Amino acid sequence: MRDPDGLLARAGVRGDPDRDQHFLVDDRVLDRLPGYLPETADREHLLEIGAGNGALTDRLLATAEHVTAIERDPTLAAFLREEFAEEREAGRLTVVEGDALEVDLPEFSASVSNLPYGVSSPITFRLLPLKRPLVLMFQQEFAERMVAEPGTDDYGRLSVSTQHYADVELVETIPATAFSPPPQVDSAVVRCTPRDPDYEVDDEAFFLDFVKAVFTQRRKTMRNAIRNTAHISGLDDADAVVDAAADELMGKRAGKLPPETFAELARVAAEVGRDRADE
């Protein structure tokens, strides 16, 4: 495997915290990351977002038939094309220069990525609906919120939304010293294994908006949260939703409710709280 420090030296760049650039340089962590994919995952075409100096790209090429590496920094994208010229000529690597939120994504089979932390949330929610196995690195606090269970301090909108799409596990915590330059916080690796939820959602966009809305007032009872956030969730008649739901449920707070309860509440809200003429 290519040495990550050597790759940085050949690239002639240094990480820039102001641009959200922290290069993973710990060989042991890099070697472990591809192995966190589920055993059943198809490794035919792996997607890497935020390829940087290519240290992880190198490891992915050792396990995949083809890798698509997305990098928004023009200097680093040019370096990747040069450093991995042989792999590109062999048709095993595609380097895409651009923003991962804007470029067209390939038909990839799984993704292993050290995401740019500043845009990790929108990138993750671009990937999750595609129902592919994901091994993604985040700031540790963000990762802990993704995997949190109902009733815990970290449980919130991110937990419900993530777990709607996949089984999620925090598989490794990564110290800041594994990066160059070290970020201010530790990081963590999350494995997302896609699966269908064990509840029905008729309107996924409304479900996610409803969850987002009530968690903006997580310290309020659901009764008050639903009434106070109708402008966010898009409800025309919040009182009708409160009246239609179980009184005991309306007395609880969002942080205590599992995803399946939110799904049922969103169904009720869509049925009695929205003016169908507006849709």
Side-chain angles (χ1 to χ4, degrees):
M1 296 294 99
R2 289 170 168 87
D3 173 59
D5 292 314
L7 284 168
L8 273 181
R10 291 197 293 279
V13 298
R14 291 185 178 182
D16 184 353
D18 292 336
R19 298 177 59 204
D20 206 17
Q21 280 186 337
H22 301 275
F23 297 105
L24 182 59
V25 293
D26 189 312
D27 288 282
R28 297 164 299 177
V29 176
L30 287 161
D31 291 345
R32 286 195 293 267
L33 287 177
Y36 285 130
L37 282 171
E39 291 185 6
T40 56
D42 182 352
R43 290 167 170 77
E44 180 180 357
H45 188 171
L46 297 185
L47 172 68
E48 180 188 7
I49 294 176
N53 66 334
L56 179 56
T57 312
D58 189 47
R59 273 72 180 172
L60 298 182
L61 285 165
T63 189
E65 295 181 29
H66 188 87
V67 174
T68 293
I70 299 177
E71 175 53 53
R72 67 180 180 181
D73 185 301
T75 300
L76 287 170
F79 170 72
L80 291 170
R81 289 191 289 266
E82 180 180 350
E83 175 71 24
F84 295 94
E86 183 177 332
E87 290 84 351
R88 290 177 58 239
E89 291 171 5
R92 299 194 57 238
L93 174 66
T94 301
V95 176
V96 177
E97 180 180 331
D99 190 325
L101 292 174
E102 299 176 357
V103 301
D104 292 333
L105 299 180
E107 289 293 328
F108 67 99
S109 58
S111 177
V112 182
S113 302
N114 174 22
L115 296 179
Y117 291 163
V119 289
S120 55
S121 182
I123 289 176
T124 299
F125 284 99
R126 188 179 186 193
L127 295 177
L128 280 170
L130 301 178
K131 301 285 187 171
R132 300 289 188 271
L134 309 173
V135 173
L136 306 174
M137 192 179 299
F138 304 95
Q139 290 184 357
Q140 185 174 0
E141 179 184 358
F142 188 91
E144 289 174 346
R145 287 163 50 207
M146 290 178 71
V147 305
E149 297 182 354
T152 62
D153 290 341
D154 290 328
Y155 183 74
R157 171 199 173 193
L158 179 62
S159 319
V160 177
S161 302
T162 303
Q163 294 167 34
H164 171 68
Y165 292 106
D167 289 325
V168 291
E169 308 166 75
L170 195 160
V171 294
E172 183 175 357
T173 299
I174 310 297
T177 53
F179 298 85
S180 176
Q184 296 296 312
V185 296
D186 288 341
S187 302
V189 182
V190 173
R191 173 169 53 216
C192 302
T193 304
R195 52 104 181 95
D196 292 327
D198 56 3
Y199 51 81
E200 295 292 330
V201 171
D202 295 328
D203 186 336
E204 190 167 78
F206 176 72
F207 166 72
L208 295 173
D209 284 344
F210 181 79
V211 170
K212 172 185 177 180
V214 295
F215 269 108
T216 64
Q217 300 207 348
R218 61 177 301 145
R219 296 187 179 182
K220 303 286 188 180
T221 63
M222 287 296 294
R223 180 180 294 105
N224 290 329
I226 290 172
R227 285 172 171 159
N228 294 344
T229 61
H231 61 292
I232 301 175
S233 60
L235 291 175
D236 298 296
D237 190 348
D239 287 332
V241 180
V242 171
D243 292 341
D247 192 59
E248 180 184 0
L249 184 58
M250 290 296 95
K252 294 184 178 181
R253 288 170 173 77
K256 301 291 185 181
L257 305 182
E260 58 266 27
T261 302
F262 281 108
E264 176 60 21
L265 275 175
R267 185 193 64 77
V268 172
E271 186 175 305
V272 306
R274 290 199 294 177
D275 184 351
R276 295 294 177 177
D278 293 340
E279 295 182 17

mmCIF file of all heavy atoms in Angstrom, residues 6-48:
data_model
loop_
_atom_site.group_PDB
_atom_site.id
_atom_site.type_symbol
_atom_site.label_atom_id
_atom_site.label_comp_id
_atom_site.label_asym_id
_atom_site.label_seq_id
_atom_site.Cartn_x
_atom_site.Cartn_y
_atom_site.Cartn_z
ATOM 1 N N GLY A 6 3.939 9.793 2.229
ATOM 2 C CA GLY A 6 4.580 9.928 0.934
ATOM 3 C C GLY A 6 3.641 10.519 -0.106
ATOM 4 O O GLY A 6 4.036 11.333 -0.943
ATOM 5 N N LEU A 7 2.366 10.115 -0.034
ATOM 6 C CA LEU A 7 1.375 10.676 -0.950
ATOM 7 C C LEU A 7 1.216 12.177 -0.731
ATOM 8 O O LEU A 7 1.149 12.948 -1.691
ATOM 9 C CB LEU A 7 0.025 9.970 -0.752
ATOM 10 C CG LEU A 7 -0.083 8.565 -1.347
ATOM 11 C CD1 LEU A 7 -1.338 7.870 -0.822
ATOM 12 C CD2 LEU A 7 -0.122 8.627 -2.869
ATOM 13 N N LEU A 8 1.178 12.583 0.533
ATOM 14 C CA LEU A 8 1.059 14.014 0.833
ATOM 15 C C LEU A 8 2.263 14.783 0.302
ATOM 16 O O LEU A 8 2.126 15.880 -0.261
ATOM 17 C CB LEU A 8 0.927 14.232 2.342
ATOM 18 C CG LEU A 8 -0.476 14.180 2.944
ATOM 19 C CD1 LEU A 8 -0.429 14.442 4.442
ATOM 20 C CD2 LEU A 8 -1.399 15.179 2.266
ATOM 21 N N ALA A 9 3.444 14.191 0.483
ATOM 22 C CA ALA A 9 4.661 14.858 0.016
ATOM 23 C C ALA A 9 4.656 14.996 -1.502
ATOM 24 O O ALA A 9 4.992 16.053 -2.048
ATOM 25 C CB ALA A 9 5.892 14.082 0.489
ATOM 26 N N ARG A 10 4.241 13.936 -2.211
ATOM 27 C CA ARG A 10 4.209 13.998 -3.672
ATOM 28 C C ARG A 10 3.125 14.951 -4.167
ATOM 29 O O ARG A 10 3.289 15.596 -5.207
ATOM 30 C CB ARG A 10 4.007 12.593 -4.255
ATOM 31 C CG ARG A 10 5.194 11.677 -4.074
ATOM 32 C CD ARG A 10 5.130 10.473 -4.987
ATOM 33 N NE ARG A 10 4.055 9.557 -4.690
ATOM 34 C CZ ARG A 10 4.073 8.630 -3.735
ATOM 35 N NH1 ARG A 10 5.145 8.525 -2.934
ATOM 36 N NH2 ARG A 10 3.062 7.813 -3.552
ATOM 37 N N ALA A 11 2.037 15.030 -3.423
ATOM 38 C CA ALA A 11 0.965 15.949 -3.809
ATOM 39 C C ALA A 11 1.370 17.402 -3.585
ATOM 40 O O ALA A 11 0.816 18.310 -4.230
ATOM 41 C CB ALA A 11 -0.303 15.640 -3.033
ATOM 42 N N GLY A 12 2.311 17.622 -2.677
ATOM 43 C CA GLY A 12 2.786 18.973 -2.409
ATOM 44 C C GLY A 12 1.758 19.857 -1.740
ATOM 45 O O GLY A 12 1.721 21.068 -1.971
ATOM 46 N N VAL A 13 0.905 19.247 -0.902
ATOM 47 C CA VAL A 13 -0.139 20.018 -0.221
ATOM 48 C C VAL A 13 -0.067 19.775 1.276
ATOM 49 O O VAL A 13 0.527 18.798 1.748
ATOM 50 C CB VAL A 13 -1.548 19.630 -0.723
ATOM 51 C CG1 VAL A 13 -1.691 19.927 -2.200
ATOM 52 C CG2 VAL A 13 -1.842 18.160 -0.441
ATOM 53 N N ARG A 14 -0.658 20.682 1.996
ATOM 54 C CA ARG A 14 -0.870 20.515 3.427
ATOM 55 C C ARG A 14 -2.351 20.680 3.710
ATOM 56 O O ARG A 14 -3.041 21.443 3.023
ATOM 57 C CB ARG A 14 -0.077 21.562 4.220
ATOM 58 C CG ARG A 14 1.427 21.374 4.182
ATOM 59 C CD ARG A 14 2.104 22.391 5.090
ATOM 60 N NE ARG A 14 3.553 22.218 5.122
ATOM 61 C CZ ARG A 14 4.369 22.951 5.868
ATOM 62 N NH1 ARG A 14 3.877 23.925 6.630
ATOM 63 N NH2 ARG A 14 5.674 22.715 5.838
ATOM 64 N N GLY A 15 -2.808 19.968 4.719
ATOM 65 C CA GLY A 15 -4.205 20.128 5.099
ATOM 66 C C GLY A 15 -4.492 21.544 5.557
ATOM 67 O O GLY A 15 -3.626 22.213 6.115
ATOM 68 N N ASP A 16 -5.707 21.987 5.313
ATOM 69 C CA ASP A 16 -6.124 23.334 5.678
ATOM 70 C C ASP A 16 -7.425 23.243 6.469
ATOM 71 O O ASP A 16 -8.498 23.031 5.885
ATOM 72 C CB ASP A 16 -6.323 24.177 4.414
ATOM 73 C CG ASP A 16 -6.672 25.625 4.725
ATOM 74 O OD1 ASP A 16 -6.882 25.947 5.903
ATOM 75 O OD2 ASP A 16 -6.729 26.429 3.778
ATOM 76 N N PRO A 17 -7.357 23.415 7.801
ATOM 77 C CA PRO A 17 -8.585 23.333 8.611
ATOM 78 C C PRO A 17 -9.658 24.312 8.169
ATOM 79 O O PRO A 17 -10.855 24.019 8.273
ATOM 80 C CB PRO A 17 -8.093 23.647 10.025
ATOM 81 C CG PRO A 17 -6.642 23.282 10.012
ATOM 82 C CD PRO A 17 -6.165 23.614 8.632
ATOM 83 N N ASP A 18 -9.260 25.475 7.662
ATOM 84 C CA ASP A 18 -10.241 26.464 7.213
ATOM 85 C C ASP A 18 -11.014 25.989 5.998
ATOM 86 O O ASP A 18 -12.111 26.490 5.719
ATOM 87 C CB ASP A 18 -9.549 27.791 6.893
ATOM 88 C CG ASP A 18 -8.993 28.471 8.139
ATOM 89 O OD1 ASP A 18 -9.510 28.194 9.239
ATOM 90 O OD2 ASP A 18 -8.033 29.256 8.013
ATOM 91 N N ARG A 19 -10.440 25.030 5.269
ATOM 92 C CA ARG A 19 -11.124 24.458 4.097
ATOM 93 C C ARG A 19 -11.608 23.039 4.378
ATOM 94 O O ARG A 19 -11.923 22.288 3.457
ATOM 95 C CB ARG A 19 -10.182 24.467 2.891
ATOM 96 C CG ARG A 19 -9.741 25.863 2.466
ATOM 97 C CD ARG A 19 -8.758 25.791 1.307
ATOM 98 N NE ARG A 19 -9.360 25.110 0.150
ATOM 99 C CZ ARG A 19 -8.651 24.498 -0.792
ATOM 100 N NH1 ARG A 19 -7.331 24.428 -0.691
ATOM 101 N NH2 ARG A 19 -9.264 23.933 -1.813
ATOM 102 N N ASP A 20 -11.647 22.684 5.655
ATOM 103 C CA ASP A 20 -12.152 21.370 6.061
ATOM 104 C C ASP A 20 -11.281 20.245 5.515
ATOM 105 O O ASP A 20 -11.774 19.171 5.177
ATOM 106 C CB ASP A 20 -13.601 21.208 5.581
ATOM 107 C CG ASP A 20 -14.397 20.238 6.446
ATOM 108 O OD1 ASP A 20 -13.950 19.947 7.560
ATOM 109 O OD2 ASP A 20 -15.462 19.782 5.996
ATOM 110 N N GLN A 21 -9.976 20.483 5.420
ATOM 111 C CA GLN A 21 -9.044 19.478 4.904
ATOM 112 C C GLN A 21 -8.214 18.891 6.040
ATOM 113 O O GLN A 21 -7.365 19.581 6.624
ATOM 114 C CB GLN A 21 -8.111 20.083 3.856
ATOM 115 C CG GLN A 21 -8.727 20.231 2.477
ATOM 116 C CD GLN A 21 -7.706 20.692 1.456
ATOM 117 O OE1 GLN A 21 -6.694 21.292 1.796
ATOM 118 N NE2 GLN A 21 -7.965 20.427 0.190
ATOM 119 N N HIS A 22 -8.487 17.647 6.355
ATOM 120 C CA HIS A 22 -7.710 16.895 7.342
ATOM 121 C C HIS A 22 -7.437 15.526 6.721
ATOM 122 O O HIS A 22 -8.358 14.734 6.520
ATOM 123 C CB HIS A 22 -8.478 16.744 8.660
ATOM 124 C CG HIS A 22 -8.845 18.045 9.305
ATOM 125 N ND1 HIS A 22 -7.987 18.743 10.124
ATOM 126 C CD2 HIS A 22 -9.983 18.784 9.228
ATOM 127 C CE1 HIS A 22 -8.578 19.847 10.547
ATOM 128 N NE2 HIS A 22 -9.789 19.903 10.014
ATOM 129 N N PHE A 23 -6.181 15.255 6.395
ATOM 130 C CA PHE A 23 -5.841 14.032 5.688
ATOM 131 C C PHE A 23 -5.606 12.890 6.683
ATOM 132 O O PHE A 23 -4.839 13.039 7.637
ATOM 133 C CB PHE A 23 -4.595 14.241 4.833
ATOM 134 C CG PHE A 23 -4.776 15.260 3.748
ATOM 135 C CD1 PHE A 23 -4.225 16.521 3.861
ATOM 136 C CD2 PHE A 23 -5.518 14.956 2.613
ATOM 137 C CE1 PHE A 23 -4.403 17.463 2.862
ATOM 138 C CE2 PHE A 23 -5.702 15.886 1.609
ATOM 139 C CZ PHE A 23 -5.148 17.146 1.741
ATOM 140 N N LEU A 24 -6.251 11.769 6.431
ATOM 141 C CA LEU A 24 -6.059 10.579 7.253
ATOM 142 C C LEU A 24 -4.710 9.961 6.897
ATOM 143 O O LEU A 24 -4.490 9.555 5.751
ATOM 144 C CB LEU A 24 -7.193 9.579 7.004
ATOM 145 C CG LEU A 24 -7.186 8.294 7.826
ATOM 146 C CD1 LEU A 24 -7.242 8.596 9.320
ATOM 147 C CD2 LEU A 24 -8.369 7.417 7.422
ATOM 148 N N VAL A 25 -3.794 9.886 7.879
ATOM 149 C CA VAL A 25 -2.428 9.427 7.601
ATOM 150 C C VAL A 25 -2.032 8.203 8.425
ATOM 151 O O VAL A 25 -0.898 7.732 8.316
ATOM 152 C CB VAL A 25 -1.411 10.562 7.844
ATOM 153 C CG1 VAL A 25 -1.602 11.683 6.824
ATOM 154 C CG2 VAL A 25 -1.507 11.120 9.266
ATOM 155 N N ASP A 26 -2.950 7.664 9.215
ATOM 156 C CA ASP A 26 -2.647 6.486 10.028
ATOM 157 C C ASP A 26 -2.855 5.229 9.174
ATOM 158 O O ASP A 26 -3.987 4.893 8.803
ATOM 159 C CB ASP A 26 -3.546 6.455 11.259
ATOM 160 C CG ASP A 26 -3.148 5.379 12.255
ATOM 161 O OD1 ASP A 26 -2.926 4.226 11.835
ATOM 162 O OD2 ASP A 26 -3.054 5.681 13.463
ATOM 163 N N ASP A 27 -1.752 4.535 8.869
ATOM 164 C CA ASP A 27 -1.824 3.338 8.015
ATOM 165 C C ASP A 27 -2.780 2.288 8.561
ATOM 166 O O ASP A 27 -3.521 1.637 7.803
ATOM 167 C CB ASP A 27 -0.435 2.697 7.883
ATOM 168 C CG ASP A 27 0.497 3.509 7.027
ATOM 169 O OD1 ASP A 27 0.372 3.446 5.793
ATOM 170 O OD2 ASP A 27 1.355 4.213 7.603
ATOM 171 N N ARG A 28 -2.755 2.100 9.867
ATOM 172 C CA ARG A 28 -3.569 1.038 10.471
ATOM 173 C C ARG A 28 -5.057 1.319 10.283
ATOM 174 O O ARG A 28 -5.837 0.407 9.972
ATOM 175 C CB ARG A 28 -3.228 0.908 11.957
ATOM 176 C CG ARG A 28 -1.788 0.478 12.222
ATOM 177 C CD ARG A 28 -1.397 0.743 13.661
ATOM 178 N NE ARG A 28 -1.478 2.173 13.974
ATOM 179 C CZ ARG A 28 -1.241 2.696 15.177
ATOM 180 N NH1 ARG A 28 -0.921 1.904 16.176
ATOM 181 N NH2 ARG A 28 -1.332 3.997 15.369
ATOM 182 N N VAL A 29 -5.461 2.564 10.459
ATOM 183 C CA VAL A 29 -6.862 2.926 10.255
ATOM 184 C C VAL A 29 -7.231 2.774 8.784
ATOM 185 O O VAL A 29 -8.275 2.200 8.441
ATOM 186 C CB VAL A 29 -7.125 4.367 10.727
ATOM 187 C CG1 VAL A 29 -8.569 4.772 10.431
ATOM 188 C CG2 VAL A 29 -6.839 4.504 12.218
ATOM 189 N N LEU A 30 -6.389 3.277 7.911
ATOM 190 C CA LEU A 30 -6.650 3.172 6.476
ATOM 191 C C LEU A 30 -6.813 1.720 6.038
ATOM 192 O O LEU A 30 -7.698 1.389 5.237
ATOM 193 C CB LEU A 30 -5.507 3.826 5.693
ATOM 194 C CG LEU A 30 -5.468 5.355 5.718
ATOM 195 C CD1 LEU A 30 -4.085 5.860 5.316
ATOM 196 C CD2 LEU A 30 -6.534 5.922 4.777
ATOM 197 N N ASP A 31 -5.964 0.842 6.571
ATOM 198 C CA ASP A 31 -6.035 -0.567 6.189
ATOM 199 C C ASP A 31 -7.328 -1.223 6.677
ATOM 200 O O ASP A 31 -7.837 -2.162 6.041
ATOM 201 C CB ASP A 31 -4.836 -1.322 6.767
ATOM 202 C CG ASP A 31 -3.521 -0.931 6.110
ATOM 203 O OD1 ASP A 31 -3.559 -0.296 5.032
ATOM 204 O OD2 ASP A 31 -2.451 -1.236 6.681
ATOM 205 N N ARG A 32 -7.872 -0.732 7.800
ATOM 206 C CA ARG A 32 -9.074 -1.355 8.370
ATOM 207 C C ARG A 32 -10.358 -0.921 7.675
ATOM 208 O O ARG A 32 -11.340 -1.673 7.652
ATOM 209 C CB ARG A 32 -9.192 -1.024 9.872
ATOM 210 C CG ARG A 32 -8.214 -1.774 10.745
ATOM 211 C CD ARG A 32 -8.607 -1.682 12.203
ATOM 212 N NE ARG A 32 -8.501 -0.339 12.754
ATOM 213 C CZ ARG A 32 -7.418 0.139 13.377
ATOM 214 N NH1 ARG A 32 -6.342 -0.629 13.505
ATOM 215 N NH2 ARG A 32 -7.406 1.359 13.876
ATOM 216 N N LEU A 33 -10.385 0.275 7.129
ATOM 217 C CA LEU A 33 -11.646 0.845 6.656
ATOM 218 C C LEU A 33 -12.381 -0.019 5.628
ATOM 219 O O LEU A 33 -13.592 -0.245 5.770
ATOM 220 C CB LEU A 33 -11.407 2.255 6.110
ATOM 221 C CG LEU A 33 -11.129 3.329 7.163
ATOM 222 C CD1 LEU A 33 -10.837 4.665 6.491
ATOM 223 C CD2 LEU A 33 -12.301 3.470 8.115
ATOM 224 N N PRO A 34 -11.727 -0.523 4.566
ATOM 225 C CA PRO A 34 -12.489 -1.342 3.609
ATOM 226 C C PRO A 34 -13.086 -2.593 4.247
ATOM 227 O O PRO A 34 -14.138 -3.073 3.804
ATOM 228 C CB PRO A 34 -11.435 -1.717 2.553
ATOM 229 C CG PRO A 34 -10.387 -0.656 2.668
ATOM 230 C CD PRO A 34 -10.330 -0.323 4.124
ATOM 231 N N GLY A 35 -12.443 -3.110 5.285
ATOM 232 C CA GLY A 35 -12.929 -4.317 5.944
ATOM 233 C C GLY A 35 -14.193 -4.122 6.745
ATOM 234 O O GLY A 35 -14.807 -5.104 7.181
ATOM 235 N N TYR A 36 -14.597 -2.880 6.970
ATOM 236 C CA TYR A 36 -15.829 -2.624 7.717
ATOM 237 C C TYR A 36 -17.079 -2.771 6.858
ATOM 238 O O TYR A 36 -18.195 -2.741 7.385
ATOM 239 C CB TYR A 36 -15.798 -1.229 8.341
ATOM 240 C CG TYR A 36 -14.887 -1.141 9.550
ATOM 241 C CD1 TYR A 36 -13.943 -0.125 9.649
ATOM 242 C CD2 TYR A 36 -14.968 -2.062 10.576
ATOM 243 C CE1 TYR A 36 -13.103 -0.029 10.753
ATOM 244 C CE2 TYR A 36 -14.130 -1.987 11.677
ATOM 245 C CZ TYR A 36 -13.200 -0.961 11.764
ATOM 246 O OH TYR A 36 -12.370 -0.887 12.847
ATOM 247 N N LEU A 37 -16.921 -2.906 5.546
ATOM 248 C CA LEU A 37 -18.088 -3.190 4.726
ATOM 249 C C LEU A 37 -18.698 -4.527 5.150
ATOM 250 O O LEU A 37 -17.974 -5.456 5.512
ATOM 251 C CB LEU A 37 -17.705 -3.256 3.248
ATOM 252 C CG LEU A 37 -17.501 -1.928 2.522
ATOM 253 C CD1 LEU A 37 -16.908 -2.169 1.149
ATOM 254 C CD2 LEU A 37 -18.821 -1.167 2.408
ATOM 255 N N PRO A 38 -20.018 -4.653 5.126
ATOM 256 C CA PRO A 38 -20.626 -5.951 5.454
ATOM 257 C C PRO A 38 -20.091 -7.052 4.551
ATOM 258 O O PRO A 38 -19.734 -6.797 3.391
ATOM 259 C CB PRO A 38 -22.124 -5.694 5.197
ATOM 260 C CG PRO A 38 -22.292 -4.212 5.264
ATOM 261 C CD PRO A 38 -21.002 -3.625 4.777
ATOM 262 N N GLU A 39 -20.012 -8.251 5.074
ATOM 263 C CA GLU A 39 -19.476 -9.371 4.297
ATOM 264 C C GLU A 39 -20.250 -9.590 3.003
ATOM 265 O O GLU A 39 -19.695 -10.041 2.001
ATOM 266 C CB GLU A 39 -19.501 -10.649 5.143
ATOM 267 C CG GLU A 39 -18.509 -10.644 6.310
ATOM 268 C CD GLU A 39 -18.497 -11.967 7.042
ATOM 269 O OE1 GLU A 39 -19.174 -12.909 6.572
ATOM 270 O OE2 GLU A 39 -17.817 -12.068 8.078
ATOM 271 N N THR A 40 -21.536 -9.261 3.038
ATOM 272 C CA THR A 40 -22.378 -9.488 1.863
ATOM 273 C C THR A 40 -22.307 -8.342 0.851
ATOM 274 O O THR A 40 -22.916 -8.423 -0.217
ATOM 275 C CB THR A 40 -23.839 -9.664 2.299
ATOM 276 O OG1 THR A 40 -24.243 -8.513 3.059
ATOM 277 C CG2 THR A 40 -24.001 -10.920 3.155
ATOM 278 N N ALA A 41 -21.568 -7.291 1.168
ATOM 279 C CA ALA A 41 -21.528 -6.116 0.290
ATOM 280 C C ALA A 41 -20.838 -6.446 -1.034
ATOM 281 O O ALA A 41 -19.816 -7.139 -1.070
ATOM 282 C CB ALA A 41 -20.813 -4.962 0.981
ATOM 283 N N ASP A 42 -21.376 -5.925 -2.093
ATOM 284 C CA ASP A 42 -20.801 -6.062 -3.428
ATOM 285 C C ASP A 42 -19.673 -5.034 -3.574
ATOM 286 O O ASP A 42 -19.897 -3.829 -3.453
ATOM 287 C CB ASP A 42 -21.892 -5.810 -4.474
ATOM 288 C CG ASP A 42 -21.407 -5.982 -5.902
ATOM 289 O OD1 ASP A 42 -20.183 -6.160 -6.105
ATOM 290 O OD2 ASP A 42 -22.245 -5.913 -6.809
ATOM 291 N N ARG A 43 -18.459 -5.506 -3.821
ATOM 292 C CA ARG A 43 -17.296 -4.619 -3.948
ATOM 293 C C ARG A 43 -16.916 -4.348 -5.408
ATOM 294 O O ARG A 43 -15.816 -3.906 -5.687
ATOM 295 C CB ARG A 43 -16.102 -5.225 -3.197
ATOM 296 C CG ARG A 43 -16.264 -5.198 -1.679
ATOM 297 C CD ARG A 43 -15.234 -6.085 -0.991
ATOM 298 N NE ARG A 43 -15.225 -5.901 0.450
ATOM 299 C CZ ARG A 43 -16.122 -6.392 1.290
ATOM 300 N NH1 ARG A 43 -17.144 -7.091 0.804
ATOM 301 N NH2 ARG A 43 -16.029 -6.185 2.584
ATOM 302 N N GLU A 44 -17.837 -4.574 -6.298
ATOM 303 C CA GLU A 44 -17.537 -4.391 -7.714
ATOM 304 C C GLU A 44 -17.179 -2.941 -8.029
ATOM 305 O O GLU A 44 -16.235 -2.659 -8.772
ATOM 306 C CB GLU A 44 -18.717 -4.827 -8.574
ATOM 307 C CG GLU A 44 -18.457 -4.664 -10.065
ATOM 308 C CD GLU A 44 -19.643 -5.095 -10.908
ATOM 309 O OE1 GLU A 44 -20.648 -5.571 -10.343
ATOM 310 O OE2 GLU A 44 -19.561 -4.957 -12.141
ATOM 311 N N HIS A 45 -17.940 -1.993 -7.467
ATOM 312 C CA HIS A 45 -17.720 -0.579 -7.782
ATOM 313 C C HIS A 45 -17.873 0.242 -6.499
ATOM 314 O O HIS A 45 -18.987 0.491 -6.033
ATOM 315 C CB HIS A 45 -18.726 -0.105 -8.834
ATOM 316 C CG HIS A 45 -18.451 1.279 -9.342
ATOM 317 N ND1 HIS A 45 -19.121 1.827 -10.412
ATOM 318 C CD2 HIS A 45 -17.582 2.249 -8.933
ATOM 319 C CE1 HIS A 45 -18.686 3.048 -10.642
ATOM 320 N NE2 HIS A 45 -17.752 3.328 -9.735
ATOM 321 N N LEU A 46 -16.765 0.638 -5.917
ATOM 322 C CA LEU A 46 -16.779 1.410 -4.675
ATOM 323 C C LEU A 46 -16.687 2.899 -4.977
ATOM 324 O O LEU A 46 -15.920 3.333 -5.837
ATOM 325 C CB LEU A 46 -15.619 0.994 -3.758
ATOM 326 C CG LEU A 46 -15.636 -0.446 -3.256
ATOM 327 C CD1 LEU A 46 -14.497 -0.674 -2.267
ATOM 328 C CD2 LEU A 46 -16.978 -0.799 -2.612
ATOM 329 N N LEU A 47 -17.454 3.666 -4.239
ATOM 330 C CA LEU A 47 -17.457 5.124 -4.357
ATOM 331 C C LEU A 47 -16.724 5.716 -3.155
ATOM 332 O O LEU A 47 -16.998 5.350 -2.007
ATOM 333 C CB LEU A 47 -18.896 5.644 -4.383
ATOM 334 C CG LEU A 47 -19.071 7.164 -4.316
ATOM 335 C CD1 LEU A 47 -18.558 7.823 -5.590
ATOM 336 C CD2 LEU A 47 -20.543 7.515 -4.081
ATOM 337 N N GLU A 48 -15.797 6.638 -3.435
ATOM 338 C CA GLU A 48 -15.107 7.367 -2.369
ATOM 339 C C GLU A 48 -15.369 8.854 -2.560
ATOM 340 O O GLU A 48 -15.091 9.412 -3.621
ATOM 341 C CB GLU A 48 -13.598 7.103 -2.395
ATOM 342 C CG GLU A 48 -12.864 7.849 -1.279
ATOM 343 C CD GLU A 48 -11.350 7.770 -1.387
ATOM 344 O OE1 GLU A 48 -10.859 7.252 -2.409
ATOM 345 O OE2 GLU A 48 -10.668 8.258 -0.472
#
